[in-house]
Amino acid sequence: MTLPQIITIDGPAASGKSTLGKNLADWLGYLYFDTGVMYRAVTWAALRAGIPLEFETEVTKLAETIDIDVCPPSQNDGRAYDVLADGEDITWDIRRPEVDGGVSQVSAYPGVRQALTAQQRRIGLRGKVVMVGRDIGTVVLPEADLKIYLNASVDERARRRYKELCDRGVQVSLAAIRENLMARDRIDSTRQVAPLRPAPDATILDSDHLDASQTLEAAKNLVKRFQ
Ligand code: DC
């Protein structure tokens, strides 16, 4: 009986990848690694440093030098992990609408992707990992044992993200979220380097009519095929 050692979950923003990734990793006793936090951390750091996001060279330099760490949660406030940038806790800052609005632009820069992909690959190749992102099955870990592409309609994804932000007390409209998701989908899937698309050997799961536990069941069934 051999369980898949490297599992990747890719898909568009707010399709439920993070929830599935965390649940699946907990079930298997694996490391859960959400690569989106790295692109968010670079975006947040650039905004805070006052670097305009269109300054590709400066933003890339930041990606090459910033020390991003993801550790077990230090607080019981709904977080799945702590995200630290040069030692500072930015777990919730990277979920703010300004970061949502800029992160696709930052993640389209080849130099930023190169810097972060190298770190992700190093972590992933250790195995016993569920790694979540946009290009994990296609570029970061093409040798993964199990690749899942989690999809959902833009309306369903907007509803989920809206609820998530409202629950945290962030004021934003459903229409603005929908617009932002559509813009991000467009940038993420048309960029030159590592565009969002399913790997040829990925299993596509549509989560539109599935809640979190049903999505987990579907993924568990894919894992059990290895046994
Ligand atoms: O999954 P997320 O919404 O936290 O991701 C934030 C952004 O980072 C998203 O717009 C696309 C980008 N991203 C990426 O390009 N590649 C990854 N492996 C993960 C995220």
Side-chain angles (χ1 to χ4, degrees):
M1 181 176 82
T2 329
L3 285 172
Q5 295 297 298
I6 301 178
I7 300 176
T8 63
I9 305 176
D10 292 301
S15 61
K17 300 183 301 294
S18 307
T19 305
L20 174 61
K22 172 84 173 73
N23 289 340
L24 190 60
D26 285 351
W27 178 65
L28 286 162
Y30 282 13
L31 173 74
Y32 162 59
F33 196 90
D34 177 2
T35 57
V37 305
M38 301 183 89
Y39 294 96
R40 288 174 176 274
V42 172
T43 307
W44 172 85
L47 290 170
R48 197 176 64 173
I51 300 171
L53 298 184
E54 58 274 24
F55 284 20
E56 181 171 348
T57 308
E58 284 74 6
V59 173
T60 301
K61 220 170 276 164
L62 195 59
E64 287 165 349
T65 51
I66 190 173
D67 179 20
I68 305 167
D69 212 353
V70 182
C71 327
S74 63
Q75 294 181 48
N76 190 10
D77 61 357
R79 62 180 67 192
Y81 40 72
D82 284 3
V83 182
L84 307 177
D86 296 324
E88 182 177 349
D89 185 341
I90 57 163
T91 310
W92 292 122
D93 297 300
I94 61 170
R95 301 287 161 193
R96 296 200 56 80
E98 334 48 296
V99 175
D100 277 347
V103 67
S104 277
Q105 182 179 8
V106 167
S107 61
Y109 293 147
V112 170
R113 300 205 69 84
Q114 202 182 349
L116 301 187
T117 295
Q119 296 188 41
Q120 293 159 11
R121 193 164 159 74
R122 221 170 20 245
I123 294 165
L125 286 177
R126 294 181 199 145
K128 293 197 184 308
V129 66
V130 177
M131 193 168 279
V132 170
R134 301 291 189 291
D135 60 339
I136 312 302
T138 50
V139 173
V140 178
L141 295 165
E143 60 274 87
D145 305 304
L146 173 60
K147 301 179 184 179
I148 297 172
Y149 187 88
L150 190 61
N151 218 343
S153 67
V154 69
D155 287 324
E156 181 58 28
R157 292 186 285 128
R159 271 193 295 274
R160 289 178 190 167
R161 183 52 54 90
Y162 178 69
K163 182 173 181 311
E164 202 181 294
L165 290 172
C166 286
D167 287 350
R168 289 214 323 274
V170 178
Q171 300 255 324
V172 62
S173 76
L174 181 61
I177 291 179
R178 195 174 183 283
E179 278 303 303
N180 171 261
L181 286 178
M182 283 178 27
R184 282 170 62 191
D185 285 356
R186 197 167 48 246
I187 301 175
D188 292 348
S189 54
T190 57
R191 67 180 172 226
Q192 292 289 315
V193 184
L196 169 67
R197 61 178 167 80
D201 51 347
T203 300
I204 299 181
L205 287 182
D206 188 332
S207 75
D208 247 17
H209 304 292
L210 303 179
D211 63 19
S213 67
Q214 292 168 322
T215 309
L216 176 62
E217 276 315 305
K220 279 184 183 175
N221 287 335
L222 295 175
V223 170
K224 286 174 189 164
R225 285 193 198 158
F226 285 74
Q227 295 180 328

